[in-house]
Amino acid sequence: MQKPANSNKPCPVCGKPPHPDYTPFCSTRCADVDLNRWLGGVYRVQTNEIADDPDGAEQS
Ligand SMILES: [Zn+2]
C-alpha cells in the first residue's frame, strides 16, 4: 500500500486533519487504531481477556 498523493481527506479514525508524516492518519495512534481494526479478526492485541487454556486446569 502506498500513501495517497492528496492529504485533503480527514483522518478516517477521528476526523482530524491528517499529519503529513502519518497520512491519511493524524497520528501514529490513529494509524495503530486502524491497523488493529484490520487485524481485529486475526490477532487480538491489547486484550485483558484471559483465554481458557484446556491445559491450564488447576484441578489437583
Ligand atoms: Zn486521527
Side-chain angles (χ1 to χ4, degrees), residues 4-12 15-20 23-24:
N6 62 333
S7 58
N8 294 328
K9 292 182 179 180
C11 173
K16 293 181 180 179
H19 189 286
T23 301

Side-chain angles (χ1 to χ4, degrees), residues 11-16 25-27 30:
C11 173
V13 177
C14 69
K16 293 181 180 179
F25 306 101
C26 70
S27 64
C30 282

Side-chain angles (χ1 to χ4, degrees), residues 22-51:
Y22 310 127
T23 301
F25 306 101
C26 70
S27 64
T28 53
R29 175 179 160 80
C30 282
D32 286 343
V33 170
D34 188 74
L35 181 62
N36 285 334
R37 287 179 180 176
W38 271 90
L39 299 179
V42 181
Y43 298 105
R44 298 301 297 268
V45 189
Q46 294 180 344
T47 177
N48 290 329
E49 293 183 49
I50 301 176

